[in-house]
Amino acid sequence: MNQTVRITAAVELPPAFVLGAWRVFADRNEIEGPAGVVRLEPMAMRLLCLLAENAGRTVTRAEIVERLWDGRAVTHDAVTRQVAKLREAFGDDAREPQVVKTVPKIGFLLLVEPQRIRSEAAAADPSSPGAETPVQPDRRRRVWGVVAAALTVAAGAAVVAYARRPSGEFVAPAQHPVTAEVGRELQPALSANGAWLAYVGQPAGEPGVLYVRTLRGEARRLTPPGVEASRPAWSPDMARLAFVQKDARGCAVMVVSPLDGAIRQVGACRAADLGGVAWLDPDTLVVSDRASPEAGFRLSRLDLETGRLKPLTDSGVAGPYLGDTDPAPSADGERVFFVRTSTPGVADVYALDLAGGKVRRITRDNASIHGLTRGRDDRLVIASNRQSGASYSLWSLNARGSDWRRLTEDARAEYPSSSDGETIAFQRRDWQMGLWSAPLDAGEPQRLTATSRRDRTAAPSPDGRRLAFLSDRSGSLQLWVAEADGRAHQVSDFRTEMPREPAWSPDGRSVYLSVRTGSQFDLGRVDVATGAFQLLAHTPASERYPFWSRDGARLYFIRDEGSRLSLYERAADGRERRLVDDAVRAIEAEDGALYVQRLAAPGFWRFDRASGKLSKIGELAAVDPRSWTVAEGALWALDGSRADQLLRLDLASGAVEAVRSLPGVYPRAGLFVRDGRVVFSRVESENVDVYTVADRA
């Protein structure tokens, strides 16, 4: 798609400013105070910066609407909700305000004088000399205007608002297709001079073939039939390609010479095709692999001469798709940037100091990331859905974790690669996915929903007559409901939130789900009749996978507190209780028992709520937390090693049997079993091509 999209050029943000006992980190939507770190939604942070820009005077509601919503028509409550979120974050009382005061019939006044922090060192130690300096009245509007304007980008505001920025505009460069074959061309790798492209193709009947070509030339095959290649990476001298090979004997790290086609094995692996490979120097690779089939990914240094692996990182998590992946060494070879996924679908970028072994967190988006590479001037290029609903865009970010800059439109961009820093190759995915139903014993699957977009993550209503699901039919991921006659209608109207894991209330009037608000996930409720959305609570932690007890007395969910994943229950009066630690997901069976998937103690466990006892019922290797359910006396899961195979684990005996195949199933979109049938998301068509985009900013 050759078109340009106008987005805003980057602005170098002040790293922080101070409000009384609080430090405000505007570029990462966080405030830090006596109670610790609190994350703000992007819109609430923009409001805070607008009030700081105008500290000392009342900001009218009209001004707030003009600056935050670009003058679009919004309800009176829209502004009030953002003010309430600020007060909640600061622990402020509207009746006796200490931070934000309501001026009746006019607007809102910031009661605390903002102080500017001069440097990042001062931000880290506010007690150091010169850490805080008052913002003079004649400079306040200019300084805080920069912050508020830059947050327009971070919050994904309307394009028209970008024109109000005091800085220049950035025009997103055109995306140019490189491959156009029918099928899939995956995981591109650019050579150091940006002239040669390696990628994985999937011609008919073959899972993965390694090809090499110039950007405008003919492709040449490098790997023989009978093997599956993945994750190619060019050596710095462009004389070799490292890649992962899987065949009947297992998994191996290979090196091939594109000139003469000579291939040799340099190391063994278990699942490095998912984790990634990168060159640290001419004699060393960084490989993302598992220590065991149940472990999470970790980075290791691979010596090409000896084949020895030396572990570099340990994320401390276990399970499929989790851990440390996508290594990207810095230009000087002193650091390795990588992606760490601690919770399914939520990842951030980290940096490893090779000399000292220290790991530093760079981003705090908690978004989903599908690839990382090094770009211009040691900046990072990240494929992320941080502001793109269900789609992935390419973003450029400096190594400090500030100065985000968007490089592409929503293009379903994945696996970026760049060696010269100016040309970036990536895979662009166009696909169609619908909801399907299949009998458990035998028989052909039947289509439940028809769309040219993507329907996923279905949940049946308590009476079985309606189906809630997520879809991007309207352009962004929203909650939809299909009636018994097959007609479907959109229920939600999320603007910045990203919905996940829908679950019906026992009375069938509401759908509970987790939504991404800023840099975390929170629990919310959508009224099916009106579409009204209510956030249940905004805590410093992330909450995922909500579901109600069958008697309607308790809401269960998983809370991610950074160092701990736990199963919680929430009573009708709002009281909460932690039930099980090391719990990544839980489901209630017909008899009221809770079945829990754990990471540090892999397998599935039965939790007796009355006694508090856990008992292991069985173990299935590498099952994604989103691809299992409990119903009809069994636990049903998609095979972690063969995703299209449905398995049945008997709750009484622990015996496991293969039930049937589900062609085209998308394992990370959920499934459920009812009345002898399984409902799942099926990929109906898919085409992936390699594109390039230039970054010359």
Side-chain angles (χ1 to χ4, degrees), residues 341-591:
T341 306
S342 301
T343 304
V346 178
D348 278 296
V349 177
Y350 287 72
L352 166 68
D353 183 343
L354 290 172
K358 182 179 179 180
V359 173
R360 175 174 60 91
R361 185 175 179 177
I362 294 178
T363 70
R364 297 179 180 273
D365 264 9
N366 285 327
S368 183
I369 296 176
H370 277 192
L372 166 72
T373 191
R374 190 182 76 240
R376 291 174 57 87
D377 304 322
D378 238 4
R379 290 179 67 89
L380 304 175
V381 177
I382 305 167
S384 172
N385 64 351
R386 64 188 303 262
Q387 291 179 9
S388 310
S391 296
Y392 291 80
S393 298
L394 295 186
W395 298 81
S396 174
L397 176 68
N398 64 23
R400 298 192 306 274
S402 60
D403 188 21
W404 283 96
R405 186 172 74 242
R406 190 169 178 172
L407 298 178
T408 66
E409 60 176 324
D410 293 353
R412 296 170 292 282
E414 303 169 320
Y415 297 108
S417 172
S418 179
S419 296
D420 66 349
E422 291 190 2
T423 302
I424 303 165
F426 62 96
Q427 68 179 49
R428 173 171 169 160
R429 185 183 301 268
D430 292 292
W431 55 329
Q432 177 183 349
M433 184 164 62
L435 299 178
W436 289 68
S437 170
L440 292 174
D441 49 6
E444 291 296 317
Q446 297 177 344
R447 184 196 300 271
L448 296 179
T449 63
T451 178
S452 61
R453 302 298 293 255
R454 286 162 292 278
D455 295 345
R456 57 187 297 172
T457 320
S461 61
D463 60 9
R465 301 182 62 183
R466 291 178 293 174
L467 199 63
F469 63 96
L470 303 179
S471 179
D472 64 351
R473 298 182 185 197
S474 60
S476 62
L477 202 61
Q478 301 289 343
L479 177 67
W480 288 64
V481 169
E483 304 296 338
D485 59 6
R487 291 179 301 138
H489 60 278
Q490 181 178 335
V491 175
S492 69
D493 187 22
F494 294 118
R495 301 298 176 88
T496 58
E497 299 90 349
M498 185 185 301
R500 290 288 189 270
E501 301 111 28
W504 288 84
S505 62
D507 60 10
R509 296 180 179 178
S510 304
V511 173
Y512 286 73
L513 30 68
S514 60
V515 294
R516 198 178 80 191
T517 54
S519 58
Q520 68 185 67
F521 283 89
D522 292 307
L523 300 183
R525 180 183 71 88
V526 177
D527 186 290
V528 174
T530 66
F533 172 69
Q534 177 187 5
L535 199 65
L536 299 187
H538 186 61
T539 71
S542 281
E543 288 84 24
R544 301 286 299 270
Y545 301 107
F547 66 96
W548 277 92
S549 61
R550 294 177 183 270
D551 60 9
R554 295 168 299 279
L555 177 68
Y556 296 105
F557 59 92
I558 300 296
R559 174 167 286 160
D560 181 359
E561 297 170 296
S563 61
R564 179 174 61 190
L565 284 167
S566 303
L567 172 64
Y568 275 77
E569 68 174 13
R570 178 188 176 100
D573 59 6
R575 289 181 299 172
E576 295 181 354
R577 183 163 70 106
R578 190 170 74 245
L579 300 179
V580 181
D581 285 337
D582 181 38
V584 65
R585 191 182 174 203
I587 295 176
E588 186 185 51
E590 289 92 336
D591 62 358

Side-chain angles (χ1 to χ4, degrees), residues 236 240 279-285 301-306:
R240 294 166 293 170
W279 291 82
L280 188 59
D281 58 51
D283 301 313
T284 313
L285 293 174
R301 186 196 304 255
L302 174 63
D303 187 293
L304 297 187
E305 294 303 317
T306 66

Side-chain angles (χ1 to χ4, degrees), residues 145-157:
V146 171
V147 179
L151 285 164
T152 302
V153 179

